[in-house]
Amino acid sequence: MWENEWGISQYPFVGGHEAIGTICRVGDQVKNLKIGQTVGVGWNIESCMHCQSCISGSQQMCNTIQPTIVNHHGGFANKLRAHWGWTIPIPEGVDLARLDH
Ligand SMILES: [Zn+2]
């Protein structure tokens, strides 16, 4: 993505497609996440959540899928916006330094 090998990168480019952070805001409809909670995101951050793929558990096949670092700044940015359905709670007590690979 940094070197635009797929021809879809936009600049200025901010990478980071597997990121962990702390929630600073939540939308009105979010029930499972709260401000201050540690969470992670992977390759994707959003899908429609109402098509057949999304409601059958295959959200990664959604036609409106939004990859984390395509058309958005990724996890190396100061802030990242993600749909709650694509936001993964990190259990309390997990040593985040050990999650690095
Ligand atoms: Zn969908």
Side-chain angles (χ1 to χ4, degrees):
M1 294 301 292
W2 177 254
E3 296 181 353
N4 198 24
E5 290 178 354
W6 295 352
I8 58 174
S9 299
Q10 293 183 336
Y11 298 93
F13 178 77
V14 179
H17 64 275
E18 294 177 345
I20 292 175
T22 304
I23 294 177
C24 62
R25 282 191 187 173
V26 293
D28 294 341
Q29 302 299 312
V30 176
K31 307 293 186 217
N32 65 327
L33 302 169
K34 62 182 189 256
I35 292 173
Q37 187 174 7
T38 301
V39 294
V41 295
W43 178 254
N44 299 310
I45 55 170
E46 185 177 329
S47 63
C48 79
M49 305 302 275
H50 59 79
C51 72
Q52 184 61 36
S53 294
C54 285
I55 61 174
S56 66
S58 296
Q59 300 92 324
Q60 75 280 5
M61 303 300 289
C62 178
N63 288 334
T64 68
I65 195 102
Q66 292 294 312
T68 305
I69 58 173
V70 178
N71 299 322
H72 315 96
H73 292 322
F76 296 149
N78 290 338
K79 293 183 179 163
L80 175 83
R81 182 177 179 177
H83 186 278
W84 63 265
W86 288 93
T87 304
I88 304 157
I90 305 295
E92 289 185 31
V94 171
D95 182 357
L96 299 178
R98 295 191 59 154
L99 295 179
D100 189 16
H101 53 85

